[in-house]
Amino acid sequence: MSNELSDAAQRAQHYLENVGKRRVAPDSISIRALDELSGPLPETGEEAELVIADLDRLGSPATVASAGGRYFGFVVGSGLPVALAANWLAGSWNQNVAMEVMSPVGSRLERVALGWIRDVLALPSESQGAFVTGDTLANFTALAAARHEVLRKVGYDVESQGMSRAPSVTVLVGNEVHVSVLRAISLLGLGRDRVVRLPVDEQGRMQVDQLPSVSGPTIVCTQVGNVNTGTSDPVREISRRVHPSGAWVHVDGAFGLWARVSPGRRAQIDGVEEADSWALDCHKWLNVPYDSGAVFVRNSDALRAAMAAGPAAYLPSGGEGDRMEFTPEMSRRARGVDVWAALRYLGRSGLADLVERCCAHARLFADRLTAAGFHVLNDVELNQVLVSFGSDAVTRAVISAIQQEGTCWCGGTVWHGTTAMRISVSSWATTETDVERSVEAMIRVAKELVPD
Ligand SMILES: Cc1ncc(COP(=O)(O)O)c(C=O)c1O
């Protein structure tokens, strides 16, 4: 083996063995030391081992320790070791999964892994999909298929004719829509300021009784797993209301869709199988290495038509395994390999355990912080907790202090006008001890800022 490969593997092992012992956010000295990685491109090349050694010496200390168990920022997974190992192997294969002929193994594993996800999430068996970089691109891909289909139904071919003369498309979203959906809407020329925003209840769920009657080309964007509260829109009722008029229902389920793997939580995320398309992340709750998302569309013809590229003499015509037919990209890394490994390692029961463990840890955070006298703002249904430590200014100060203190890392948000700390438990690596240590730090930091 080349020395740099075994050297990097050893360094990675050392990093991961120690990631739980260090502070979560890097310290300012490590960040300043990154300057050493800058500078002009060397005139002559350097030894591979030296390149890797510098990367580790300067890069590793400046990472955010999200591979450990006490990172609760945004919604971030940790990377299961088995998925990371598969990712390394797949990296050494260096496969391009644009077409089956370019990587029989990459294409096969992509299809197998997509089939397993479809199965474990109980999505319709006829839906087809692909792996993309993440949920943002999954939303974009699904909504491109939606745009194709609602316009096709009124006799308009948007892929060849463009948007300038297209019939108007109504896009309905809940007031709590994730910004990535709005980004997809703007990229697709549907106009982010033209969306109709529907009211939501106090936990952020779309209110079905506020749905207007729809007609003509219409797309309804629902959400499963609100980024603040973790709650989900009632997708079944929404689908049943709008489907008779021919509307397309999309589900943005970045992390929340994974809750379907737990039999105890199926009812909570009920009815999503009635939608037309689904976007989700694998790098969040499935804990595969970044970046990794997946898209599924019930009407695979619509997806294929939306993603179609012109024929090119050098490209073989599309076969079942040619996933470039289903994504905006052509060349792609073999994301299916990491996902396949994670799913095979966990199995159905391991997946359900992972989800349940994260939810139980979120509950523990909420209980401990409530018992300490702080205010949990959301119904903790899933893995998200919003907590206020007093006034907005105090909560902001606690968030900043906890990030500096280093035991754990949480970000902030504003929920119904109140500043809150967001705790998102999404890592396979989080243990009860991690939660207790983090709660202890939060309470200590908050009490230092506002003594009783
Ligand atoms: C509901 C929802 N949609 C979309 C996204 C964007 O996902 P990504 O950053 O993987 O593209 C997120 C990220 O947290 C999310 O929670």
Side-chain angles (χ1 to χ4, degrees):
M1 198 203 289
S2 318
N3 284 342
E4 63 269 31
L5 292 183
S6 54
D7 181 34
Q10 270 175 27
R11 290 176 185 279
Q13 180 104 21
H14 181 261
Y15 176 82
L16 290 174
E17 275 166 9
N18 291 289
V19 74
K21 298 178 196 152
R22 51 161 275 192
R23 48 177 291 117
V24 175
D27 58 26
S28 52
I29 297 170
S30 309
I31 295 173
R32 268 202 305 279
L34 288 174
D35 288 349
E36 272 196 63
L37 294 174
S38 314
L41 175 68
E43 215 44 62
T44 54
E46 289 174 12
E47 289 293 322
E49 281 173 68
L50 195 67
V51 173
I52 297 301
D54 263 5
L55 199 56
D56 187 29
R57 179 176 65 83
L58 296 161
S60 295
T63 55
V64 170
S66 52
R70 291 189 308 284
Y71 183 79
F72 306 107
F74 309 97
V75 186
V76 169
S78 285
L80 283 161
V82 68
L84 177 62
N87 173 283
W88 286 354
L89 193 55
S92 69
W93 295 344
N94 196 28
Q95 300 288 280
N96 181 339
V97 295
M99 288 177 292
E100 190 157 11
V101 71
M102 299 175 86
S103 178
V105 62
S107 299
R108 176 65 65 91
L109 289 176
E110 175 151 346
R111 268 184 294 157
V112 172
L114 286 168
W116 285 351
I117 296 176
R118 192 172 48 207
D119 179 32
V120 83
L121 299 183
L123 300 180
S125 57
E126 70 271 28
S127 50
Q128 288 285 340
F131 289 112
V132 288
T133 49
D135 191 60
T136 299
L137 207 69
N139 279 323
F140 171 81
T141 308
L143 291 174
R147 183 184 68 164
H148 166 87
E149 185 58 14
V150 298
L151 287 173
R152 186 199 62 77
K153 282 183 179 163
V154 292
Y156 189 78
D157 179 351
V158 67
E159 285 75 31
S160 52
Q161 299 305 313
M163 283 302 284
S164 54
R165 300 233 169 108
S168 172
V169 177
T170 304
V171 182
L172 301 173
V173 301
N175 229 344
E176 274 292 315
V177 63
H178 192 271
V179 289
S180 64
V181 173
L182 295 176
R183 175 186 282 194
I185 286 166
S186 69
L187 287 172
L188 289 163
L190 295 167
R192 60 188 299 155
D193 289 344
R194 290 187 61 249
V195 299
V196 180
R197 283 177 168 266
L198 300 174
V200 293
D201 68 16
E202 74 291 349
Q203 294 297 317
R205 302 180 200 91
M206 210 190 273
Q207 290 181 302
V208 186
D209 54 1
Q210 302 288 318
L211 263 178
S213 60
V214 300
S215 61
T218 304
I219 302 169
V220 184
C221 298
T222 67
Q223 177 170 253
V224 164
N226 179 295
V227 77
N228 284 313
T229 61
T231 54
S232 300
D233 290 337
V235 182
R236 186 194 303 286
E237 284 168 83
I238 292 168
S239 304
R240 290 191 179 174
R241 287 252 189 146
V242 304
H243 270 158
S245 325
W248 179 291
V249 178
H250 171 64
V251 177
D252 173 15
F255 64 97
L257 262 177
W258 288 104
R260 300 252 292 175
V261 304
S262 172
R265 284 180 197 276
R266 273 280 164 85
Q268 203 179 319
I269 323 278
D270 182 41
V272 299
E273 66 281 3
E274 298 206 10
D276 301 287
S277 56
W278 304 264
L280 67 145
D281 269 316
C282 302
H283 53 220
K284 290 190 168 77
W285 227 348
L286 183 59
N287 278 259
V288 303
Y290 280 85
D291 47 26
S292 186
V295 58
F296 291 91
V297 174
R298 182 194 295 275
N299 178 343
S300 59
D301 289 344
L303 178 56
R304 230 184 247 265
M307 296 299 124
Y314 81 105
L315 295 172
S317 57
E320 171 63 6
D322 295 348
R323 290 287 132 164
M324 73 175 199
E325 307 253 317
F326 294 105
T327 73
E329 299 140 317
M330 293 177 84
S331 296
R332 282 180 311 133
R333 76 174 180 91
R335 291 193 182 84
V337 180
D338 324 358
V339 175
W340 177 88
L343 289 170
R344 177 156 165 188
Y345 167 78
L346 291 168
R348 280 177 204 278
S349 61
L351 257 178
D353 285 351
L354 172 60
V355 164
E356 284 305 329
R357 217 166 54 238
C358 290
C359 293
H361 289 148
R363 186 70 266 154
L364 185 59
F365 265 119
D367 292 347
R368 289 278 192 272
L369 291 166
T370 305
F374 303 115
H375 186 200
V376 172
L377 303 182
N378 63 315
D379 295 343
V380 180
E381 287 187 2
L382 221 58
N383 59 335
Q384 307 292 121
V385 185
L386 301 178
V387 57
S388 156
F389 291 89
S391 68
D392 288 356
V394 166
T395 302
R396 273 195 295 275
V398 173
I399 295 168
S400 164
I402 204 77
Q403 292 176 356
Q404 291 297 319
E405 193 265 353
T407 301
C408 63
W409 201 98
C410 298
T413 191
V414 175
W415 183 248
H416 293 324
T418 299
T419 298
M421 186 165 85
R422 277 181 78 253
I423 304 171
S424 174
V425 191
S426 314
S427 163
W428 71 272
T430 301
T431 62
E432 207 172 302
T433 309
D434 286 320
V435 177
E436 298 288 7
R437 272 186 68 185
S438 303
V439 167
E440 185 277 320
M442 288 169 189
I443 294 172
R444 178 168 35 79
V445 159
K447 298 228 153 133
E448 276 164 20
L449 283 166
V450 189
D452 296 329

